[in-house]
Structures are given as structure tokens and as C-alpha cells.
């Protein structure tokens, strides 16, 4: 059998050797059965094993969903696996050629993408397959580290880069995703992703020879030797497998920004230190690029202009969006995009959402372009990151919080109205409310400090108008929410010196209202994420849970 067709997908067996296999074990039989019956999503929602999450989660696409592929391009996907990214590539380019060693994984890929007319899967060892075509893009996602298993020679990793360069068009791009052997999670007791051992990469794999990942500098050196003179590093967080944020050297995280409170699903681990404190220090010292858990490397002429991307998928489909910052000739632009058909309405609502009743706070200008909301980029300091300098001084931390609230978030008393219970309020926040509460006619409930930018001229700009409502909401709840998130962000430094309740009281909030606000927040979070939200296989960010504790 030379070729087989499943739906519209072609499987080519001319280079296939069945005795050579790579597998996650019996769970792949379960994946194949689910793919045959269009039940991968159902499997994802009912089976919490790592292999199911890794092969099925839509979050895998966050790695390159933002990337501006040319629609007329031809793409070669080396090591396509079970097709977690193949469908994304198929929707963005003209043709996708997959190379995959495993027949079972290729079948899973074919069944899950059977309606795509531009996918061709070549089964076999990369070294054995004769490639005659030149490609606009070649992807090497979680594959390069296994080069020694497929190629001979003294340096198979360098050899693979050189071989792939020969398959690229002159202006083609090689896209590599790989763990960083110096990643901070490995210092902090996470097992090495491939060997299952502690500190394998940090020990330079002296006891493990079948696989190898590299540091930032090592990758740069091999790219230069291989003839890739132009390249760009991206830093997926928490890693390239299930990223929710993509950073670059033009937009690195700031103190307080990296908080990986989610579970490590791939393996159990120990903790040598607090993630938050070391991540903050790394960001403050401009060392994040060295210690990032993973790299995405774009190799080729004229790297793309995207400097940052963030994905919000742990939500109901009608609220799933991405935020992408791109560098243009005229400056930077911020674009918010729907990730589902239902989310288009949510995006379009941003064009009419406005701030009201806050005279010292402005909203970044924006407008609709097709289905996206495009905003002006605001240069300045993220307000939450400023609090890193007061993390060990409770008196100053409280004082600066009160200053921000009083100076920029104090409403115009003439614009305030009395609370009235409405159906809209009940649907979003439940039955709990505060009698005689003062409210704005329209409230942006997401005035958290990470959404506020302080410019050099002393202007305070809100860069997020996603959650604006035109019915009465107790304004103290908006402030409670804002400072609760701030406390959570810096809780590791504060908790032994001041409790959350003490902090909220210290900045001027009424303790008698806290139980109502916790109930409101819980109902709001349920409404956004859903009671049985599709992403329940992933734990929702502990950030939201912790402000309720």
C-alpha cells in the first residue's frame, strides 16, 4: 500500500518502516478511536491524563495562532504527531505536508482533520524521506531534541538544521519550538520533559544521551553555523506546549506578571523555592530570556513584527479572545481578536464600551477593523509592576495603593447613582448586593492595576474595556476587585506581614461588604468561564480562586 485516503487527507506510505515506532503507549488507541468518531473534545473533557491534554487541547494552537502565515504558502510540518497543530496550519496556508514516524499518530491526525483538502502526510523516518519541494515554512515543534534518534553523525542536531535549510525557499522560515535546558522550572524541581529525571538539562545530559535541549546561546551558535544569520526568539509562557502568552525581547514580562499557579500536568514535581519571587527577580534583572522555560525560534530573513500575544481560552466560547501587539512603521498597535464565531459580538462591543464618571482616568482609543478591535498602544509603566519596589515595605505598599485609588480611581460624586437591582445584575452577579450602594451608570469592573498604564506625563490610561456594563454595580466592588488582584499578585511577599482582609481594610474598604463581593466575583467568574466550561480539563487560573479565599 503506497497511499491511503481518509476523508480529504492523503497518507503516503512509500517511506514507511513499521518496525520503527514512537508512541505514548496504549492511550494512543483511545485517541485514535475518539478521532475516528469525532469525539476528541469529549475525551478531553472526561480524561485528565497528560497525553490526552497534550494531544487534544486547543491551547496547543496558541503557540502559532498569532503568526502571520502567508495564505499562498507551502508548509512542511516535521514530526506532526497527532495533528494538534496541523489543522491550524491547514487553515492558514495553501498546502501542508506532514512527516511523521508513527502510523497510529498519522491516522489520528488524518481522522481529526479529514475535511481538510490540503494535507498530505508522509509516513517514515525524516532521514529516509526524499524531499524534492522547497517550502515557505518548515515547523519543528517538539522534534529537534530527538534528532539523535533519527540521524547519525557526531552532531545530529546541527545536521538536522542544515538539512532543513536545504528544503527552504530563499525567503522561507524555519520555526522551532523546544524546551530551554536552563528553564527556571527545571531549577525549581520540575522533571526534565523527556528523560523524566531531575536536572537532566542542568547537568548537560551527562547521564541521558538519547535526547538533548539547549540554552539560548547554544541555539544561537548552532543557527549561525547552519547559515541562519537572521532569527528571532519568542518566549512562550508557561511553555510552548500549552502557552497562554508569547513574549519577545521587545516585550518581556515585568515583575508581578509571570504567575504560573496552574498545575504541572505532565509530571509530579518538587519545589525548591517560590516561583513568584524568582520570576520577579529574573524579570527585574532582565534575565527572563535566559531562563524562559521554552523557546519558539523564527529563523529566516525579515522576522515578523509581532512582539506579544496573549490568549484567553479558559472561558465560554463567546468570550474567547486573543490580544496581539505588532510593531508597525508608525509605532505599535494592539489588536483584540475573537477566537470563535460567538466571540465576534463580544469583540464588537468593545468599540462602544466607554469609561464614565472617572475624571482622572482615560481609555485607550480604539476602533473596529473587520472582526478585530484595534487600540492605540500606550507607552508607560504598568501600575501593578510599580508595586514590586514596595513589596517588602507594607506601609509604603498600602500608602501607594491608596494614592492610586484616590488620585485616579476616585469617581465624580455627581455622576454616582444609587444601586437598583436589575435582571442584568442578577444574571451576572447573583442575588447578593449592597443596600444603598453608590454606583456609576456604566462600570468597567476590570480596573485592575495590570490594566492601568501610567505615562511619563502622569496620565493614567486604562488599556482594557472588555468588561463594561451599563447597569448599576456597587463601585466599591470594582475597587475591591482591583486591590484584591493586586494583593494576590504580591501575596507571596505580603501574606506573612498583612492578611488580605487587613490589606483591604487598610486601603479603605468596608469589611462588612466583603462576603457580598466574594459572592459577586464567584458568580461573575462562573458566567465568564461557564459552570461546566469546556476547558475544565485545565485548572482555571488560581489568581481568580485566590481572591475569593
Amino acid at each position: 500500500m503506497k497511499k491511503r485516503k481518509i476523508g480529504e487527507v492523503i497518507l503516503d506510505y512509500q517511506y514507511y518502516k513499521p518496525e520503527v515506532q514512537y508512541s505514548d503507549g496504549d492511550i494512543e488507541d483511545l485517541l485514535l478511536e475518539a478521532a475516528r468518531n469525532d469525539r476528541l473534545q469529549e475525551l478531553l473533557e472526561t480524561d485528565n491524563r497528560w497525553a490526552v491534554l497534550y494531544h487534544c487541547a486547543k491551547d496547543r494552537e496558541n503557540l502559532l495562532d498569532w503568526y502571520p502565515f502567508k495564505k499562498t504558502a507551502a508548509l512542511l510540518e516535521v514530526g506532526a504527531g497527532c495533528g494538534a497543530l496541523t489543522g491550524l496550519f491547514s487553515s492558514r496556508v495553501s498546502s501542508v505536508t506532514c512527516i511523521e514516524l508513527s502510523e497510529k499518530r498519522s491516522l489520528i491526525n488524518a481522522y481529526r482533520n479529514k475535511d481538510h483538502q490540503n494535507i498530505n502526510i508522509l509516513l517514515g523516518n525524516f532521514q529516509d524521506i526524499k524531499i524534492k519541494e522547497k517550502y515557505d515554512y518548515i515547523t519543528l515543534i517538539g522534534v529537534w531534541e530527538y534528532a539523535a534518534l533519527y540521524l547519525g553523525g557526531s552532531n545530529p542536531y546541527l545536521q538536522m538544521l542544515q538539512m532543513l535549510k536545504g528544503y527552504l525557499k530563499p525567503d522561507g522560515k524555519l520555526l522551532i519550538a523546544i524546551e530551554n535546558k536552563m528553564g527556571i522550572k527545571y531549577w525549581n524541581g520540575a522533571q526534565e520533559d523527556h528523560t523524566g529525571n531531575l536536572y537532566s538539562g542542568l547537568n548537560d545530559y551527562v547521564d541521558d544521551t538519547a535526547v538533548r535541549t539547549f540554552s539560548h546561546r547554544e541555539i544561537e551558535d548552532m543557527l549561525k553555523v547552519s547559515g541562519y544569520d537572521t532569527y528571532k526568539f519568542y518566549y512562550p509562557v508557561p511553555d510552548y506546549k500549552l502557552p497562554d502568552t508569547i513574549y519577545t525581547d521587545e516585550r518581556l514580562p515585568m515583575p508581578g506578571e509571570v504567575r504560573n499557579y496552574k498545575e504541572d500536568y505532565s509530571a509530579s514535581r518538587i519545589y525548591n523555592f517560590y516561583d513568584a519571587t524568582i520570576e520577579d527577580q529574573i524579570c527585574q534583572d532582565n534575565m527572563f530570556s535566559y531562563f524562559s522555560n521554552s523557546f519558539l525560534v523564527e529563523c529566516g530573513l525579515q522576522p515578523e513584527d509581532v512582539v506579544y500575544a496573549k490568549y484567553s481560552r479558559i472561558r465560554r466560547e463567546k468570550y474567547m479572545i486573543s490580544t496581539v501587539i505588532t510593531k508597525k512603521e508608525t509605532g505599535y498597535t494592539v489588536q483584540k481578536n475573537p477566537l470563535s464565531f460567538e466571540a465576534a459580538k463580544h469583540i464588537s462591543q468593545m468599540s462602544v464600551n466607554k469609561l464614565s464618571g472617572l475624571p482622572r482616568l482615560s481609555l485607550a482609543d480604539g476602533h473596529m477593523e473587520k472582526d478585530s478591535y484595534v487600540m492605540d498602544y500606550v507607552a508607560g509603566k504598568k501600575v501593578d509592576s510599580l508595586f514590586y519596589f514596595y513589596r517588602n515595605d507594607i506601609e509604603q505598599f498600602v500608602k501607594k495603593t491608596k494614592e492610586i485609588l484616590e488620585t485616579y480611581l476616585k469617581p465624580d460624586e455627581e455622576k454616582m447613582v444609587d444601586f437598583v437591582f436589575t435582571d442584568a445584575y442578577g444574571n451576572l452577579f447573583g442575588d447578593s448586593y449592597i443596600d444603598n450602594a453608590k454606583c456609576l451608570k456604566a462600570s468597567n469592573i476590570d480596573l485592575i492595576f495590570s490594566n492601568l498604564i501610567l505615562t511619563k506625563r502622569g496620565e493614567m490610561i486604562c488599556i482594557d474595556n472588555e468588561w463594561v456594563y451599563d447597569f448599576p454595580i456597587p463601585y466599591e466592588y470594582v475597587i475591591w476587585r482591583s486591590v484584591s488582584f493586586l494583593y494576590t499578585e504580591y501575596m507571596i511577599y505580603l501574606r506573612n506581614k498583612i492578611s488580605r482582609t487587613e490589606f483591604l481594610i487598610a486601603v479603605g474598604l468596608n469589611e462588612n461588604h466583603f462576603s457580598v463581593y466574594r459572592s459577586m466575583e464567584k458568580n461573575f467568574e462562573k458566567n465568564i468561564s461557564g459552570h461546566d466550561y469546556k476547558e475544565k480539563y485545565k485548572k482555571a487560573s488560581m489568581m481568580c480562586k485566590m481572591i475569593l479565599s
Side-chain angles (χ1 to χ4, degrees):
M1 177 177 60
K2 291 292 184 182
K3 290 188 178 181
R4 177 181 178 183
K5 195 170 185 182
I6 294 177
E8 300 294 334
V9 177
I10 297 172
L11 294 93
D12 190 330
Y13 283 79
Q14 63 176 311
Y15 304 107
Y16 178 60
K17 296 178 181 179
E19 68 273 11
V20 181
Q21 289 293 323
Y22 173 81
S23 172
D24 277 328
D26 293 342
I27 199 166
E28 290 188 6
D29 294 324
L30 189 63
L31 290 167
L32 178 56
E33 182 66 20
R36 279 196 178 110
N37 295 286
D38 294 320
R39 296 176 61 184
L40 284 175
Q41 180 64 37
E42 179 182 334
L43 178 64
L44 181 63
E45 294 174 15
T46 56
D47 192 318
N48 63 1
R49 283 177 288 181
W50 164 247
V52 173
L53 177 63
Y54 177 70
H55 290 299
C56 299
K58 193 74 170 174
D59 304 62
R60 291 284 307 280
E61 294 187 359
N62 295 350
L63 180 68
L64 285 165
D65 174 83
W66 52 271
Y67 193 85
F69 291 102
K70 296 183 294 185
K71 292 186 178 298
T72 58
L75 183 147
L76 176 65
E77 184 182 11
V78 180
C82 297
L85 292 171
T86 306
L88 170 68
F89 298 148
S90 174
S91 68
R92 299 295 175 83
V93 301
S94 178
S95 66
V96 178
T97 301
C98 303
I99 293 178
E100 174 54 45
L101 185 66
S102 163
E103 180 183 26
K104 192 173 293 182
R105 291 188 172 198
S106 297
L107 290 172
I108 295 168
N109 189 352
Y111 278 110
R112 78 190 297 178
N113 293 303
K114 62 181 181 295
D115 295 330
H116 295 244
Q117 299 179 359
N118 60 347
I119 298 174
N120 184 44
I121 302 176
L122 301 176
L123 285 81
N125 191 323
F126 166 73
Q127 188 176 26
D128 299 331
I129 294 175
K130 294 179 174 59
I131 300 174
K132 299 177 181 179
E133 186 178 346
K134 300 284 187 178
Y135 293 90
D136 299 282
Y137 302 102
I138 298 177
T139 64
L140 207 58
I141 312 300
V143 175
W144 189 27
E145 57 267 38
Y146 294 105
L149 299 178
Y150 310 130
L151 303 175
S154 60
N155 194 334
Y157 308 100
L158 187 61
Q159 181 184 348
M160 177 170 269
L161 292 179
Q162 293 168 332
M163 289 178 66
L164 292 176
K165 186 169 176 55
Y167 304 145
L168 280 172
K169 293 179 181 178
D171 61 346
K173 302 283 186 67
L174 171 63
L175 300 170
I176 304 170
I178 188 171
E179 292 83 0
N180 174 16
K181 78 175 188 181
M182 306 304 290
I184 196 64
K185 71 177 184 180
Y186 297 133
W187 295 89
N188 201 15
Q191 297 178 19
E192 207 279 350
D193 292 60
H194 312 91
T195 69
N197 298 324
L198 291 173
Y199 314 122
S200 292
L202 300 179
N203 288 323
D204 201 32
Y205 299 98
V206 293
D207 299 316
D208 305 279
T209 58
V211 66
R212 176 171 288 271
T213 64
F214 308 97
S215 70
H216 194 294
R217 180 61 180 271
E218 287 175 327
I219 293 174
E220 285 188 286
D221 289 344
M222 280 192 283
L223 290 175
K224 291 174 182 176
V225 172
S226 302
Y228 297 96
D229 297 322
T230 305
Y231 48 83
K232 179 177 178 179
F233 276 75
Y234 301 84
Y235 309 104
V237 172
D239 56 32
Y240 84 82
K241 295 182 178 72
L242 295 170
D244 53 44
T245 309
I246 310 293
Y247 294 97
T248 66
D249 289 301
E250 292 184 80
R251 170 60 173 92
L252 290 170
M254 291 166 271
E257 195 166 352
V258 179
R259 292 290 185 266
N260 296 325
Y261 291 123
K262 297 169 187 172
E263 291 185 13
D264 187 343
Y265 280 78
S266 57
S268 59
R269 62 177 293 182
I270 60 176
Y271 284 89
N272 299 321
F273 46 76
Y274 297 126
D275 271 340
T277 57
I278 194 66
E279 291 280 12
D280 283 352
Q281 192 70 58
I282 287 169
C283 292
Q284 176 64 24
D285 295 345
N286 200 30
M287 294 289 290
F288 183 82
S289 59
Y290 184 80
F291 289 105
S292 174
N293 288 328
S294 296
F295 303 124
L296 172 66
V297 191
E298 177 189 22
C299 314
L301 301 176
Q302 296 179 327
E304 298 299 338
D305 294 326
V306 173
V307 300
Y308 172 86
K310 183 176 181 62
Y311 285 79
S312 300
R313 289 195 193 268
I314 306 181
R315 296 177 174 182
R316 291 184 176 183
E317 287 195 6
K318 63 180 180 178
Y319 298 126
M320 291 182 184
I321 68 168
S322 68
T323 302
V324 179
I325 301 177
T326 307
K327 185 177 182 180
K328 305 286 187 182
E329 291 183 1
T330 56
Y332 295 94
T333 62
V334 182
Q335 184 168 308
K336 293 184 179 289
N337 310 298
L339 297 178
S340 66
F341 176 79
E342 296 89 340
K345 181 178 180 182
H346 182 60
I347 291 288
S348 65
Q349 184 63 35
M350 295 181 195
S351 64
V352 298
N353 288 344
K354 303 297 180 184
L355 285 172
S356 66
L358 298 171
R360 295 294 308 279
L361 182 66
S362 301
L363 180 66
D365 292 332
H367 62 277
M368 291 297 297
E369 290 185 8
K370 296 183 178 179
D371 291 333
S372 299
Y373 183 63
V374 180
M375 302 175 65
D376 292 342
Y377 178 81
V378 179
K381 296 287 187 180
K382 288 174 77 255
V383 172
D384 62 325
S385 68
L386 299 175
F387 281 80
Y388 178 70
F389 300 100
Y390 310 115
R391 66 195 186 281
N392 294 316
D393 187 333
I394 296 303
E395 184 177 337
Q396 284 297 310
F397 199 97
V398 171
K399 178 182 177 182
K400 294 298 180 181
T401 303
K402 293 172 70 174
E403 285 181 5
I404 296 294
L405 298 179
E406 180 69 22
T407 305
Y408 300 104
L409 299 184
K410 186 175 182 179
D412 185 340
E413 294 294 337
E414 294 181 357
K415 299 292 180 67
M416 302 291 280
V417 298
D418 291 330
F419 174 79
V420 177
F421 189 91
T422 63
D423 290 341
Y425 175 95
N427 290 335
L428 188 62
F429 295 113
D431 296 332
S432 297
Y433 62 90
I434 304 294
D435 284 322
N436 304 315
K438 292 298 182 181
C439 315
L440 292 171
K441 292 181 180 179
S443 299
N444 182 342
I445 70 168
D446 209 19
L447 297 180
I448 58 178
F449 286 14
S450 59
N451 287 334
L452 304 180
I453 303 293
L454 186 62
T455 70
K456 290 183 178 180
R457 294 187 296 181
E459 300 171 316
M460 187 67 78
I461 310 293
C462 177
I463 58 172
D464 197 324
N465 64 337
E466 189 176 358
W467 308 112
V468 177
Y469 300 99
D470 61 357
F471 53 84
I473 299 170
Y475 185 69
E476 190 186 46
Y477 162 71
V478 177
I479 300 301
W480 173 90
R481 193 171 190 271
S482 178
V483 295
S484 292
F485 269 87
L486 180 66
Y487 183 91
T488 297
E489 193 171 332
Y490 288 99
M491 182 174 63
I492 196 66
Y493 307 102
L494 304 176
R495 64 185 182 184
N496 291 328
K497 303 165 186 172
I498 186 171
S499 71
R500 182 188 307 276
T501 297
E502 290 170 339
F503 175 67
L504 294 173
I505 295 172
V507 299
L509 299 180
N510 187 335
E511 183 180 8
N512 295 326
H513 299 163
F514 293 173
S515 62
V516 172
Y517 298 151
R518 286 194 294 267
S519 177
M520 290 174 63
E521 183 65 18
K522 183 178 180 180
N523 281 286
F524 172 71
E525 185 62 30
K526 283 183 178 180
N527 274 282
I528 302 308
S529 298
H531 295 277
D532 291 310
Y533 57 98
K534 291 185 177 181
E535 284 68 30
K536 66 183 179 182
Y537 55 86
K538 289 181 66 179
K539 300 297 184 186
S541 171
M542 288 298 291
M543 190 73 76
C544 294
K545 291 184 179 180
M546 291 168 75
I547 73 169
L548 300 177
S549 61

